[in-house]
Amino acid sequence: MKVLVGKFLEKESSSGIILIFVTIVALIFSNTFLSEFYNTFLHTKIEFKVGTVLEISKPLILWVNDGLMAIFFLMIGLEIKRELILGHLSKFSHVTLPLIGALGGMIIPALVFAAFNYSDDFALRGWAIPTATDIAFALGILSLLGKRVPTSLKIFLMALAIFDDLGAILIIAFFYTAELSFISLAFGTICIFLLILLNKFRVTYLSLYALIGFILWICVLKTGVHATLTGIILAFTIPLSVINDKRKHTSPIRTLEHFIHNWVAYFILPMFAFVNAGIDLRLISLEQMNNSVSWGIFLGLFIGKQLGVFSFVYIAVKLNLTKLPTNVSWPQLYGVAILTGVGFTMSLFIDSLAYVDSSAFFYTDKLAILLGSLFSGVTGYIILLNVKNKKSI
């Protein structure tokens, strides 16, 4: 299990470094003479058509956000299922601390955002934007610190981010769903039933799951529920371990996870960052930045996340509900609490659902995500760089 965790941390860390580079490239494209090419690229129409029965026509940016990100959520679902059954989260004592921290890291930022926007119903749709943590970016920053950060602290951040992602999934399902198409919902339900049957009979042919999963993705896309949730549903129906005809254990989940992890880390997330992080800063003034949504997002990420995670964990430990990870000090935990304010990809994703890429806030909402993530990343890094790797209460 330690080897699996080590590989996971290594891939997420390197992916985070790539995301930083891709974000810079996107900003260069959107703020130079390449901006026209960049915008044309984002809005290139791509069609999927089967006779007169089915037609899906979307610009490239939505194929990335609705399509490729479904594979990202599939990856998250596989990791959550594996960790809950066999991994670090399979023991209640290991779950308590990151779960409490994740709850604080979602509740307090949402309240901070709501405090700024409670009087504007449209603006309030973005309450979930600062509740997210980007695990790739956060672990990427931790990786720069090397052995100064104990492995137990990295595992804590990984577990907290997993619960954070699970919370984001529930938020998307319950709060960012459009009007339902019951015909598509019925076909989608049939697909889910078939996937459950495959799981029940311990079918290991991943191609079958992929085929039904693709049909389910189309059905969910047409229902009004966000299509990325297909990835989570599919992940939880794939068997974790099966005994084959030769009496050997095989793990369809690990096989699929191994196959798509590199695609997610080195292509899908960088592509998502490239098409979503390209903000034209030339069109944004300081006056435009001074709006309730920008302040709610920025302070929610930079202040709300660290305050929520650290205070909830501190109270839980003092009440003896749980205990700190091995060899982790309070200053180190505070540094990691700040790093959870690196929302980036998940925050940008929820922002696209909340405001449907509206220009109502002059795209300062996206800039606030970048600034909140930047301040959280730099501050968390500086604190962790200057604290000793020694437990002191």
Side-chain angles (χ1 to χ4, degrees):
M1 184 51 62
K2 289 183 178 179
V3 175
L4 288 173
V5 170
K7 288 182 178 179
F8 176 85
L9 293 174
E10 182 181 349
K11 287 181 178 178
E12 295 297 329
S13 300
S14 57
S15 175
I17 295 170
I18 292 171
L19 284 176
I20 295 172
F21 173 76
V22 171
T23 301
I24 294 171
V25 171
L27 289 170
I28 292 173
F29 267 70
S30 59
N31 288 276
T32 64
F33 65 93
L34 295 169
S35 60
E36 186 176 347
F37 165 78
Y38 178 73
N39 288 320
T40 301
F41 174 73
L42 295 189
H43 296 93
T44 301
K45 285 278 186 180
I46 299 176
E47 294 185 354
F48 175 80
K49 193 172 182 180
V50 181
T52 58
V53 178
L54 175 66
E55 181 178 354
I56 304 174
S57 179
K58 290 177 176 289
L60 177 66
I61 186 172
L62 290 185
W63 278 103
V64 173
N65 291 352
D66 294 343
L68 291 183
M69 287 300 282
I71 302 175
F72 167 68
F73 276 88
L74 170 62
M75 184 77 244
I76 289 176
L78 295 173
E79 289 165 354
I80 291 174
K81 182 173 180 177
R82 176 170 52 78
E83 289 293 326
L84 287 174
I85 297 176
L86 293 177
H88 186 73
L89 303 180
S90 59
K91 294 181 180 179
F92 182 76
S93 59
H94 293 167
V95 168
T96 311
L97 188 70
L99 177 58
I100 291 173
L103 286 174
M106 288 185 280
I107 293 171
I108 302 302
L111 291 176
V112 170
F113 184 92
F116 281 90
N117 296 280
Y118 66 91
S119 60
D120 186 336
D121 289 342
F122 179 70
L124 197 57
R125 283 180 54 83
W127 65 270
I129 295 171
T131 65
T133 296
D134 188 313
I135 186 171
F137 253 129
L139 286 175
I141 294 169
L142 275 188
S143 72
L144 300 176
L145 294 162
K147 294 182 178 180
R148 295 184 66 87
V149 177
T151 302
S152 58
L153 192 61
K154 295 178 183 178
I155 293 174
F156 166 76
L157 177 59
M158 180 189 76
L160 186 146
I162 286 174
F163 283 122
D164 195 287
D165 287 339
L166 189 56
I169 290 160
L170 295 175
I171 287 170
I172 292 168
F174 287 105
F175 298 101
Y176 294 109
T177 294
E179 294 182 5
L180 292 176
S181 167
F182 288 99
I183 295 176
S184 298
L185 187 61
F187 281 108
T189 303
I190 293 172
C191 289
I192 294 173
F193 178 71
L194 291 174
L195 287 169
I196 293 173
L197 282 180
L198 291 179
N199 179 283
K200 182 176 177 60
F201 289 103
R202 317 302 288 172
V203 176
T204 59
Y205 296 107
L206 290 174
S207 55
L208 265 178
Y209 289 96
L211 176 60
I212 298 175
F214 177 67
I215 297 172
L216 176 62
W217 176 80
I218 294 174
C219 292
V220 173
L221 183 68
K222 294 293 186 178
T223 61
V225 179
H226 203 271
T228 51
L229 296 178
T230 306
I232 298 296
I233 296 169
L234 180 59
F236 275 81
T237 58
I238 296 174
L240 177 63
S241 181
V242 176
I243 301 177
N244 60 23
D245 296 336
K246 297 180 180 179
R247 308 302 297 172
K248 291 184 178 180
H249 283 275
T250 60
S251 178
I253 273 188
R254 285 179 177 162
T255 300
L256 181 57
E257 195 174 350
H258 178 75
F259 176 74
I260 67 173
H261 205 151
N262 285 339
W263 283 100
V264 170
Y266 304 126
F267 176 71
I268 292 175
L269 285 181
M271 177 61 77
F272 176 84
F274 181 73
V275 301
N276 285 278
I279 305 166
D280 194 339
L281 302 176
R282 298 169 298 181
L283 302 177
I284 299 176
S285 65
L286 290 176
E287 184 179 354
Q288 289 171 333
M289 277 296 296
N290 188 26
N291 65 73
S292 60
V293 168
S294 295
W295 282 114
I297 293 173
F298 175 77
L299 293 178
L301 285 172
F302 184 52
I303 302 298
K305 289 292 284 189
Q306 60 173 285
L307 181 63
V309 172
F310 188 79
S311 63
F312 273 52
V313 166
Y314 183 83
I315 292 170
V317 171
K318 292 304 178 182
L319 291 177
N320 292 321
L321 298 176
T322 183
K323 58 183 180 180
L324 284 178
T326 307
N327 298 323
V328 172
S329 66
W330 282 113
Q332 286 177 321
L333 191 130
Y334 179 60
V336 164
I338 297 175
L339 284 186
T340 64
V342 181
F344 196 63
T345 53
M346 288 300 292
S347 292
L348 286 172
F349 184 70
I350 295 175
D351 180 90
S352 70
L353 300 180
Y355 303 130
V356 198
D357 289 323
S358 168
S359 59
F361 308 110
F362 307 101
Y363 300 109
T364 56
D365 47 336
K366 290 189 175 182
L367 182 57
I369 291 171
L370 295 185
L371 291 175
S373 298
L374 177 64
F375 274 64
S376 298
V378 171
T379 306
Y381 176 83
I382 291 173
I383 288 178
L384 289 169
L385 186 65
N386 289 280
V387 295
K388 294 181 180 180
N389 188 7
K390 181 180 179 181
K391 187 174 182 180
S392 56
I393 305 287

